[in-house]
Amino acid sequence: MADRYNDAKARYAEIGVDTDAALKRLADFTLSLHCWQADDVGGFESAGAGLSGGGIQATGNYPGKARNLGELRDDIETALKLIPGKHRLNLHASYGDFGGKTVDRDRIAPEHFASWVSWAGEQGLKLDFNCTMFSHKLADDGFTLSSKDKKIRDFWIAHVERAREISAYMGREQGSPAVHNIWIPDGMKDYPADRFGYRRILTESLDRIFETSYPETEILDAVESKLFGIGSEAFVVGSHDFYLAYAISRDKMLCLDMGHFHPTELAADKVSAVLQFQDSLLLHVSRPMRWDSDHIVVLSDELYFMAHEVARAESGKNIYVGLDFFDASVNRIGAYAVGARSALKAWLAAYLEPASELVCREEAGDYIGRMALSERLKTMPLGDVWDHFCEMNGVPVETDYMNEVTAYERDVLSKRG
Ligand code: RNT
Ligand code: ZN
C-alpha cells in the first residue's frame, strides 16, 4: 500500500497539492456520530419506546437492530472500529439510562446519562446532545415549543431546560463543550391562519429556555431549521428564515441539515453566507432522496460541495459536523461505516483541492480552466490516499471493511431475533 500512497502523493504534487498536509487536516476533522442509526431512532424510554413520530420515520425492518443500551453501545463500538480518526458521539435525550423506570421528558437529569459519560470516557469519545421533541404523546398534535396550549409548551420548555443541563454536565465531565441541538417538528399539514402567532410563541419559548446561561466551555447551543416534514407540508414554524434570524439576533449557532431544503437548493451555498455573520455553524450531514428521507450518506455532489465549502471556510470559524441519517432496511453497522467513511472521503477530497490555483484561474476569468482542473480532480487517486489514512489509523481499508460488517452480522446481529 505504501507504493500506492507514494504514487498518489507524486500525482497530487504535480498539481501543487501536499497529501501529507491534507491527511493532517483530516486527522483533526471530527464527525459527531449519531447514536440513532443503530435502533431506527427508537430510544430506550420504557413508555412508548420505539415509536417514531413528528415526521421522523425510519423505514425497513432489516434484522438485528439494537434492543437496549448495551447492544447499542456494542454496535457503536463496532462501527467506530471501521471509521478512521477521532470522532464524537451524538446522543438523543430518549437514549438515557433509565434503569427500566418511566422517566418523562421533563424529568430527565444528568444521573440518567452518567453511564454514558463513563462509557464514553473509556472509549475516548466526547458526547454531544439533543433534546427529543418527537415520539411523545404531547407532540402528537404537531406542536411542542410553539404550541398554543400553555401546558404542552411548558412541558417542552422544561424538557429542553433539562436537556441543556445534561449537556452542560457532559461538557464539564469531558472537558469539551457538548453541542446541544434543538429540532422541533412543529408545523401544519395545511395552510395556517396564524403563522405569525406560532412563530412569536416559538420565539418566546426559546428565549425562556436560553434565560439560563452556561459557559461556552460546557455547552454550545444550536437550533435546526426545516422546510417541511410529513404532516407539516404547508408550514414549519422553525423554518430556515426563522432560525437564521433567531440565531443571529440571539448569538446562537445555526444548524443546517442537508435534507432540510428544497431539492434544488444547495445547503453548501449557505455556509459562506452564514459565516459572514456567525463564527460557528453546525451541520447535519444527511442525504435527501426527493425529500428529507435521511438516506445513508454517499459521495454525492451535494456532499462534495458541502465538504469543500467547509474546508475553504475553516480558518477562524468553528464548524461542527454531525451525521444524521437512519435506514432500517440494511445492516445498520454497514450504514454507519459507509455513511461516515463517505463523509470523511468528501472532506479528504476537499483537503486535496488545489484551492489557490482554482481561485487564480477564477480571478483570471479562466472559467474553463477552473472547470477542467475540477474535473481532473475527480479521477485523481483519492482512494489511495484514503486507504493510507485508514492504515495510519489501524482501520480496515476499502476492500476489507465490509468483511467486518458481515462477520459482526453473523456473530452478533443475527442472534438478536
Ligand atoms: C429531523 C432533524 C433532526 C433529527 C434527529 C433525530 O428532521 O433532522 O435532526 O433527524 O434529531
Ligand atoms: Zn437533522
Side-chain angles (χ1 to χ4, degrees):
M1 293 278 188
D3 284 355
R4 274 174 44 204
Y5 178 65
N6 286 328
D7 286 350
K9 187 175 163 152
R11 283 195 54 202
Y12 278 102
E14 284 166 17
I15 53 165
V17 170
D18 177 348
T19 50
D20 290 334
L23 289 173
K24 250 197 208 101
R25 281 182 86 186
L26 190 62
D28 287 337
F29 175 70
T30 303
L31 280 175
S32 193
L33 194 76
H34 55 317
C35 73
W36 50 91
Q37 164 63 63
D39 76 325
D40 314 338
V41 213
F44 300 117
E45 295 164 302
S46 42
L51 296 173
S52 289
I56 305 259
Q57 185 65 66
T59 52
N61 52 7
Y62 198 84
K65 87 170 185 185
R67 296 165 301 180
N68 52 54
L69 276 184
E71 290 181 354
L72 190 88
R73 287 175 188 157
D74 290 347
D75 290 357
I76 288 168
E77 285 177 34
T78 305
L80 284 169
K81 288 187 193 133
L82 307 177
I83 303 169
K86 268 213 114 349
H87 303 291
R88 298 173 68 100
L89 181 69
N90 198 9
L91 286 179
H92 243 284
S94 49
Y95 289 75
D97 190 348
F98 302 115
K101 290 198 202 74
T102 301
V103 182
D104 211 348
R105 303 250 174 105
D106 58 342
R107 293 290 158 87
I108 57 166
E111 67 193 73
H112 302 121
F113 293 86
S115 75
W116 273 114
V117 168
S118 56
W119 173 83
E122 289 159 21
Q123 305 296 319
L125 276 174
K126 314 265 188 220
L127 300 170
D128 294 312
F129 202 56
N130 302 263
C131 46
T132 308
M133 313 295 283
F134 48 85
S135 307
H136 190 280
K137 57 186 185 315
L138 288 182
D140 274 354
D141 73 353
F143 289 91
T144 62
L145 294 179
S146 69
S147 174
K148 291 199 175 186
D149 180 333
K150 188 173 182 315
K151 274 217 309 277
I152 292 182
R153 200 158 78 224
D154 286 347
F155 173 85
W156 289 110
I157 289 171
H159 172 60
V160 185
E161 286 171 341
R162 298 279 70 76
R164 290 183 71 237
E165 186 190 330
I166 292 163
S167 306
Y169 151 77
M170 289 172 169
R172 270 194 309 280
E173 294 289 319
Q174 65 195 12
S176 164
V179 172
H180 178 261
N181 180 50
I182 301 178
W183 175 76
I184 60 169
D186 301 29
M188 278 191 174
K189 186 182 179 74
D190 230 314
Y191 301 125
D194 188 20
R195 292 177 194 259
F196 191 93
Y198 290 108
R199 290 188 168 133
R200 184 177 44 76
I201 295 172
L202 178 55
T203 305
E204 287 166 5
S205 294
L206 290 168
D207 283 350
R208 256 183 70 193
I209 286 165
F210 293 127
E211 270 168 22
T212 311
S213 67
Y214 297 95
E216 283 192 0
T217 48
E218 296 179 0
I219 173 175
L220 299 168
D221 288 292
V223 286
E224 179 180 3
S225 68
K226 191 162 179 168
L227 176 65
F228 82 98
I230 298 174
S232 62
E233 291 84 353
F235 172 57
V236 166
V237 187
S239 60
H240 178 58
D241 313 70
F242 175 89
Y243 279 128
L244 179 62
Y246 189 87
I248 290 173
S249 64
R250 306 305 200 262
D251 197 21
K252 300 294 170 217
M253 191 153 66
L254 186 71
C255 172
L256 299 175
D257 183 309
M258 291 173 66
H260 289 191
F261 297 92
H262 188 280
T264 65
E265 204 176 352
L266 210 53
D269 178 57
K270 298 170 193 305
V271 172
S272 58
V274 174
L275 291 180
Q276 302 293 326
F277 308 99
Q278 298 255 281
D279 291 329
S280 60
L281 180 63
L282 173 63
L283 300 177
H284 271 188
V285 171
S286 187
R287 179 168 57 110
M289 182 73 76
R290 303 190 188 281
W291 58 288
D292 175 45
S293 51
D294 300 283
H295 276 59
I296 301 162
V297 166
V298 296
L299 265 180
S300 60
D301 274 356
E302 284 76 8
L303 181 64
Y304 253 83
F305 292 145
M306 181 56 90
H308 281 74
E309 285 305 310
V310 173
R312 291 165 183 167
E314 248 171 17
S315 104
K317 303 285 181 183
N318 293 311
I319 303 174
Y320 301 89
V321 183
L323 296 175
D324 187 9
F325 55 79
F326 30 95
D327 188 336
S329 73
V330 295
N331 179 310
R332 294 166 184 81
I333 312 306
Y336 272 128
V338 172
R341 290 172 72 107
S342 295
L344 291 169
K345 284 178 215 162
W347 258 265
L348 176 59
Y351 294 145
L352 290 169
E353 174 186 70
S356 50
E357 176 60 24
L358 285 164
V359 173
C360 236
R361 292 184 187 192
E362 182 168 286
E363 289 178 348
D366 180 13
Y367 297 156
I368 194 66
R370 179 189 61 188
M371 183 185 277
L373 181 52
S374 301
E375 286 301 290
R376 179 173 168 192
L377 286 167
K378 292 180 184 169
T379 53
M380 295 285 287
L382 172 73
D384 293 338
V385 183
W386 167 250
D387 275 349
H388 184 66
F389 185 68
C390 290
E391 284 191 324
M392 285 166 70
N393 284 279
V395 162
V397 296
E398 216 47 24
T399 46
D400 299 346
Y401 77 98
M402 280 305 292
N403 298 337
E404 312 283 326
V405 172
T406 311
Y408 189 71
E409 174 160 13
R410 183 194 58 226
D411 300 340
V412 181
L413 301 180
S414 67
K415 310 222 158 102
R416 285 185 186 165

